[in-house]
Amino acid sequence: MSAKVSRRQLAKIAGLSAAGIASPLEGAGAKPAAALRGGSGGFPAGFLWGTATSSYQVEGAVNEDGRGASIWDKFVRIPGKIEDSSTGDRANEHYHRYKEDIALIKDLGCKAYRFSVAWPRVFPDGDGKPNPKGIDFYNRLVDELLKNGIEPWMTLYHWDLPQSLQDRFGGWRSTETCKIFGDYAGYVAKHLTDRVKNVFTLNESGRFVQFGYGLGIDAPGVTLPQAEVNQIRHNSALAHGLAVQAVRAHGRRGTRVGPAENIDVCVPAIDTPEHVRAAEIALREMNAGYLNVIMTGKYTDAFLKYAGADAPKYTDAELKIIGSPVDFLGLNIYAPQNYVVPSDQGAGFMPLPIPKSFPHMSSDWLRIAPETIYWVPKLAAKIWKTDAIYITENGTSSDDVVTPDGKIYDTDRIMYLRNYLAQLQRATAEGVPVRGYFLWSLMDNFEWVFGLSKRFGLYHVNFDTQVRTPKLSASFYRNVIAKNAAGA
Ligand code: BG6
């Protein structure tokens, strides 16, 4: 099964069917002061502009300075798994070129950078003896960011699980891995939160659980029955909760922590009160297995009923950990999974089939729907009563070509960004508490199963020479940041 097809179908496979699901709605979310709202065509003052990458996708240097193996190091070597047979062995050589890359971030005018820590760099076996050279790299990275006036926003887990934990415990199949993750989170928090004020726990449980353990498309590449996948999703929620607690216990006071999740994107098909209400129910129920349980400490009745015998096994004590209060909600928003209409069946919503002709970007899965970044934060703020949402990823691939003049005119990426940012601005102007935006990605990098064949960067990377070249979209984004407005 191709990754593109699978990702497109993810909601259907992993989520809940609309039929038979009902859930009460929760009250309205907090509204920020009018003064914070973006007025007259701009974003609110102090809106945080950033870019994002992740360790395995950019660092390279997989065998240097005592780094242990991750499940991706092993997975990329299985024939047929990576579209162009590339690996992250070298990737962007960011481990060595981080200073040059930080200069690129600075040149955009970004005030923040979202990166992830490679767990096996810090603990080569996942647990046991830490590797001082591992944490040293992140010390250097953080210091260099701060020196350049860029806030470090750190993700603890962006899929590069230590292979040793996979070998010993079956990875996320075991709660041993969750506990060890908590210890690792505490260690990293202790060493870095004197300078890193914002921490994301796990990136996209919604993807790595289903793709890695259900469909076998991502590392570790196993295909387990749905009941086990549901248990692993529960374990990922537990790992999130343990990490929240560890950051609070070992980090500096005031360190903020929250998830960075590819929320299952549900939007009203039409802007009527009935459709909006249906989309709100859908957003909660389609995210019941991860986001809703971590934000509320409960699985919904509808989720448990739907999962039936496949529902995860858990204790009240685990739910308490999972529901540990967070400081913000990080949402990765790219494409719609479900356009929703009201239904008089079951829960009161029905996801519509998506026509084959629906437009998409260079990646087949990346359907173009700018309204997603308006509706999802708006509904999420209401459902989960949060007053701080960050868009932790948004962006697009493009079939970038370097023209004879040495430039990259990625007008399709600019079109995509302009339209999504206009909708995000619309949300902030209405008082939806979105506080910042991290564009995926700073530069082209190793795009998992697509290898180097899909380019998401504002900077083009020649992977032979490692030369970085700004695309036209880098100038576009610089202008957005300078004007603090989407219509740049
Ligand atoms: C997100 C991930 O799912 O989307 C990123 O958090 C990833 O790591 C990005 O690079 C694009 O996804 P893909 O599957 O096209 O590489």
Side-chain angles (χ1 to χ4, degrees):
M1 190 184 288
S2 95
K4 295 172 194 169
V5 171
S6 310
R7 178 153 179 162
R8 191 180 275 245
Q9 292 171 337
L10 176 63
K12 285 206 185 76
I13 300 162
L16 295 166
S17 144
I21 296 168
S23 110
L25 285 176
E26 292 184 10
K31 293 235 160 52
L36 283 176
R37 295 180 191 172
S40 60
F43 280 87
F47 190 82
L48 191 72
W49 294 104
T51 59
T53 64
S54 86
S55 44
Y56 187 73
Q57 292 182 270
V58 298
E59 284 180 4
V62 292
N63 293 317
E64 290 182 46
D65 291 340
R67 176 187 179 276
S70 81
I71 53 174
W72 274 92
D73 293 296
K74 182 165 180 190
F75 183 75
V76 295
R77 293 188 156 69
I78 303 173
K81 289 294 187 190
I82 307 299
E83 203 163 288
D84 61 0
S85 306
S86 59
T87 72
D89 286 5
R90 193 173 170 216
N92 298 46
E93 296 183 353
H94 177 72
Y95 188 74
H96 295 294
R97 297 172 184 268
Y98 69 95
K99 286 191 181 171
E100 180 191 340
D101 293 336
I102 289 171
L104 302 181
I105 304 169
K106 190 176 182 180
D107 201 43
L108 295 169
C110 285
K111 289 283 174 292
Y113 174 56
R114 178 178 173 233
F115 66 96
S116 78
V117 175
W119 185 353
R121 226 179 252 297
V122 180
F123 286 94
D125 293 322
D127 58 357
K129 215 166 152 292
N131 168 31
K133 287 191 174 168
I135 202 78
D136 274 1
F137 170 65
Y138 299 103
N139 272 320
R140 293 197 296 279
L141 180 76
V142 164
D143 288 345
E144 185 72 13
L145 286 165
L146 291 172
K147 202 171 107 191
N148 285 282
I150 301 163
E151 281 179 28
W153 286 60
M154 175 172 79
T155 308
L156 292 169
Y157 183 74
H158 202 124
W159 309 351
D160 38 5
L161 183 79
Q163 180 64 42
S164 169
L165 298 179
Q166 188 63 37
D167 295 341
R168 286 184 287 151
F169 307 114
W172 294 110
R173 291 175 83 171
S174 165
T175 51
E176 271 310 304
T177 298
C178 306
K179 285 184 210 139
I180 296 168
F181 179 66
D183 295 343
Y184 152 74
Y187 180 87
V188 173
K190 188 170 163 211
H191 285 82
L192 294 175
T193 57
D194 55 333
R195 287 152 291 152
V196 177
K197 305 295 173 205
N198 294 281
V199 178
F200 301 107
T201 53
L202 302 137
N203 182 70
E204 297 196 355
S205 161
R207 169 152 169 189
F208 78 80
V209 171
Q210 192 72 29
F211 275 36
Y213 293 87
L215 302 169
I217 290 168
D218 282 349
V222 291
T223 48
L224 299 171
Q226 196 57 43
E228 280 197 64
V229 174
N230 288 346
Q231 196 63 46
I232 292 168
R233 188 176 304 106
H234 172 79
N235 290 350
S236 74
L238 182 62
H240 156 86
L242 288 168
V244 170
Q245 296 191 347
V247 170
R248 299 224 193 284
H250 300 284
R252 284 285 171 103
R253 256 183 101 158
T255 306
R256 302 197 309 158
V257 57
E261 186 58 8
N262 59 333
I263 185 167
D264 191 303
V265 168
C266 302
V267 285
I270 306 173
D271 187 353
T272 64
E274 296 76 23
H275 283 231
V276 173
R277 183 180 159 76
E280 186 178 328
I281 301 168
L283 195 68
R284 179 186 153 109
E285 291 303 339
M286 299 302 274
N287 290 287
Y290 186 76
L291 261 190
N292 190 66
V293 72
I294 69 175
M295 296 304 281
T296 66
K298 286 183 219 123
Y299 285 115
T300 65
D301 293 343
F303 171 80
L304 293 175
K305 189 171 163 210
Y306 177 76
D310 289 345
K313 314 265 176 294
Y314 57 89
T315 64
D316 287 348
E318 284 178 350
L319 285 185
K320 213 159 166 232
I321 296 167
I322 289 171
S324 300
V326 294
D327 298 295
F328 49 69
L329 181 57
L331 301 175
N332 295 358
I333 301 177
Y334 288 91
Q337 261 101 32
N338 299 295
Y339 279 96
V340 173
V341 294
S343 164
D344 53 12
Q345 306 273 306
F349 72 92
M350 184 175 81
L352 301 177
I354 298 204
K356 234 178 122 206
S357 56
F358 203 100
H360 63 79
M361 301 299 291
S362 164
S363 300
D364 289 6
W365 63 264
L366 218 170
R367 292 188 289 259
I368 307 160
E371 68 274 23
T372 52
I373 211 165
Y374 166 77
W375 284 113
V376 171
K378 182 174 165 134
L379 297 176
K382 186 176 179 199
I383 298 168
W384 295 305
K385 301 183 183 73
T386 176
D387 66 357
I389 293 178
Y390 291 88
I391 305 300
T392 32
E393 283 182 31
N394 170 248
T396 183
S397 54
S398 164
D399 296 342
D400 299 320
V401 280
V402 183
T403 49
D405 60 359
K407 305 258 194 296
I408 299 103
Y409 300 111
D410 53 341
T411 48
D412 56 344
R413 177 174 288 106
I414 294 174
M415 175 281 297
Y416 175 98
L417 293 173
R418 181 182 281 128
N419 283 286
Y420 273 68
L421 289 173
Q423 290 288 328
L424 188 61
Q425 186 174 290
R426 175 183 167 210
T428 58
E430 285 182 18
V432 177
V434 180
R435 310 296 184 199
Y437 172 91
F438 294 86
L439 195 152
W440 187 273
S441 177
L442 169 65
M443 54 188 166
D444 300 336
N445 57 52
F446 179 78
E447 283 296 343
W448 308 113
V449 295
F450 300 104
L452 303 174
S453 74
K454 288 292 174 200
R455 295 177 175 271
F456 277 76
L458 291 174
Y459 288 88
H460 177 274
V461 177
N462 177 324
F463 289 102
D464 294 325
T465 62
Q466 290 294 338
V467 168
R468 280 88 159 124
T469 308
K471 303 177 189 176
L472 192 58
S473 57
S475 302
F476 166 80
Y477 195 45
R478 185 181 302 109
N479 200 29
V480 166
I481 297 172
K483 292 189 174 148
N484 200 33

Short mmCIF file of all heavy atoms in Angstrom, two decimals, residues 234-254:
data_model
loop_
_atom_site.label_atom_id
_atom_site.label_comp_id
_atom_site.label_asym_id
_atom_site.label_seq_id
_atom_site.Cartn_x
_atom_site.Cartn_y
_atom_site.Cartn_z
N HIS A 234 -2.98 4.34 23.13
CA HIS A 234 -3.15 4.64 24.56
C HIS A 234 -1.77 4.82 25.21
O HIS A 234 -1.56 5.76 25.99
CB HIS A 234 -3.93 3.51 25.24
CG HIS A 234 -3.99 3.64 26.73
ND1 HIS A 234 -4.85 4.50 27.36
CD2 HIS A 234 -3.25 3.05 27.71
CE1 HIS A 234 -4.66 4.43 28.67
NE2 HIS A 234 -3.71 3.55 28.91
N ASN A 235 -0.84 3.94 24.88
CA ASN A 235 0.51 4.06 25.45
C ASN A 235 1.16 5.38 25.06
O ASN A 235 1.88 6.00 25.85
CB ASN A 235 1.40 2.90 25.00
CG ASN A 235 0.98 1.58 25.64
OD1 ASN A 235 0.14 1.56 26.55
ND2 ASN A 235 1.54 0.48 25.16
N SER A 236 0.90 5.82 23.83
CA SER A 236 1.50 7.09 23.41
C SER A 236 0.91 8.24 24.21
O SER A 236 1.60 9.21 24.54
CB SER A 236 1.35 7.31 21.90
OG SER A 236 0.01 7.65 21.56
N ALA A 237 -0.38 8.13 24.54
CA ALA A 237 -1.01 9.17 25.37
C ALA A 237 -0.41 9.14 26.78
O ALA A 237 -0.16 10.18 27.40
CB ALA A 237 -2.53 8.96 25.42
N LEU A 238 -0.16 7.91 27.26
CA LEU A 238 0.46 7.77 28.59
C LEU A 238 1.87 8.36 28.58
O LEU A 238 2.28 9.06 29.53
CB LEU A 238 0.50 6.29 28.96
CG LEU A 238 1.06 5.94 30.33
CD1 LEU A 238 0.23 6.56 31.46
CD2 LEU A 238 1.13 4.41 30.52
N ALA A 239 2.60 8.10 27.51
CA ALA A 239 3.96 8.65 27.39
C ALA A 239 3.91 10.17 27.39
O ALA A 239 4.74 10.83 28.04
CB ALA A 239 4.62 8.14 26.10
N HIS A 240 2.94 10.71 26.69
CA HIS A 240 2.76 12.17 26.69
C HIS A 240 2.56 12.67 28.12
O HIS A 240 3.23 13.61 28.57
CB HIS A 240 1.56 12.56 25.81
CG HIS A 240 0.97 13.88 26.16
ND1 HIS A 240 1.44 15.07 25.65
CD2 HIS A 240 -0.04 14.22 27.02
CE1 HIS A 240 0.75 16.07 26.17
NE2 HIS A 240 -0.15 15.59 27.00
N GLY A 241 1.65 12.04 28.85
CA GLY A 241 1.34 12.48 30.21
C GLY A 241 2.55 12.36 31.14
O GLY A 241 2.82 13.26 31.95
N LEU A 242 3.29 11.26 30.99
CA LEU A 242 4.48 11.08 31.83
C LEU A 242 5.52 12.15 31.52
O LEU A 242 6.22 12.65 32.41
CB LEU A 242 5.07 9.68 31.62
CG LEU A 242 4.22 8.54 32.23
CD1 LEU A 242 4.70 7.18 31.72
CD2 LEU A 242 4.28 8.57 33.77
N ALA A 243 5.62 12.50 30.23
CA ALA A 243 6.59 13.54 29.84
C ALA A 243 6.16 14.90 30.40
O ALA A 243 7.00 15.67 30.87
CB ALA A 243 6.72 13.59 28.32
N VAL A 244 4.86 15.19 30.37
CA VAL A 244 4.38 16.45 30.93
C VAL A 244 4.79 16.53 32.41
O VAL A 244 5.35 17.52 32.88
CB VAL A 244 2.84 16.58 30.78
CG1 VAL A 244 2.31 17.78 31.58
CG2 VAL A 244 2.45 16.70 29.31
N GLN A 245 4.55 15.43 33.12
CA GLN A 245 4.89 15.42 34.55
C GLN A 245 6.39 15.54 34.78
O GLN A 245 6.84 16.22 35.70
CB GLN A 245 4.35 14.13 35.18
CG GLN A 245 2.82 14.08 35.14
CD GLN A 245 2.25 12.96 36.00
OE1 GLN A 245 2.97 12.07 36.44
NE2 GLN A 245 0.94 13.01 36.23
N ALA A 246 7.16 14.87 33.92
CA ALA A 246 8.63 14.90 34.09
C ALA A 246 9.18 16.29 33.81
O ALA A 246 10.10 16.75 34.52
CB ALA A 246 9.28 13.88 33.15
N VAL A 247 8.62 16.97 32.82
CA VAL A 247 9.09 18.32 32.52
C VAL A 247 8.77 19.24 33.69
O VAL A 247 9.58 20.07 34.10
CB VAL A 247 8.47 18.84 31.20
CG1 VAL A 247 8.75 20.33 31.00
CG2 VAL A 247 8.98 18.04 30.00
N ARG A 248 7.59 19.05 34.28
CA ARG A 248 7.22 19.88 35.44
C ARG A 248 8.12 19.55 36.65
O ARG A 248 8.48 20.43 37.42
CB ARG A 248 5.77 19.64 35.83
CG ARG A 248 4.79 19.99 34.73
CD ARG A 248 3.59 20.77 35.24
NE ARG A 248 2.55 20.84 34.24
CZ ARG A 248 2.57 21.62 33.17
NH1 ARG A 248 3.61 22.41 32.95
NH2 ARG A 248 1.57 21.62 32.30
N ALA A 249 8.46 18.28 36.78
CA ALA A 249 9.25 17.88 37.96
C ALA A 249 10.73 18.27 37.82
O ALA A 249 11.36 18.63 38.81
CB ALA A 249 9.13 16.36 38.18
N HIS A 250 11.27 18.18 36.61
CA HIS A 250 12.72 18.38 36.45
C HIS A 250 13.10 19.65 35.70
O HIS A 250 14.28 20.00 35.65
CB HIS A 250 13.33 17.17 35.75
CG HIS A 250 13.13 15.89 36.50
ND1 HIS A 250 13.85 15.57 37.62
CD2 HIS A 250 12.23 14.88 36.33
CE1 HIS A 250 13.43 14.40 38.09
NE2 HIS A 250 12.45 13.97 37.34
N GLY A 251 12.11 20.29 35.05
CA GLY A 251 12.41 21.50 34.30
C GLY A 251 12.36 22.72 35.20
O GLY A 251 11.87 22.67 36.33
N ARG A 252 12.89 23.82 34.65
CA ARG A 252 12.79 25.08 35.39
C ARG A 252 11.33 25.46 35.57
O ARG A 252 10.50 25.20 34.69
CB ARG A 252 13.46 26.20 34.58
CG ARG A 252 14.95 26.18 34.61
CD ARG A 252 15.50 26.67 35.94
NE ARG A 252 16.93 26.42 35.97
CZ ARG A 252 17.86 27.36 35.77
NH1 ARG A 252 17.50 28.61 35.53
NH2 ARG A 252 19.14 27.05 35.82
N ARG A 253 11.04 26.11 36.66
CA ARG A 253 9.67 26.60 36.89
C ARG A 253 9.25 27.49 35.74
O ARG A 253 10.02 28.31 35.26
CB ARG A 253 9.64 27.42 38.17
CG ARG A 253 9.02 26.66 39.30
CD ARG A 253 8.96 27.54 40.48
NE ARG A 253 7.59 28.04 40.61
CZ ARG A 253 7.12 28.48 41.76
NH1 ARG A 253 7.87 28.49 42.82
NH2 ARG A 253 5.89 28.91 41.83
N GLY A 254 8.00 27.30 35.29
CA GLY A 254 7.51 28.17 34.23
C GLY A 254 7.71 27.59 32.84
O GLY A 254 7.24 28.15 31.85
#
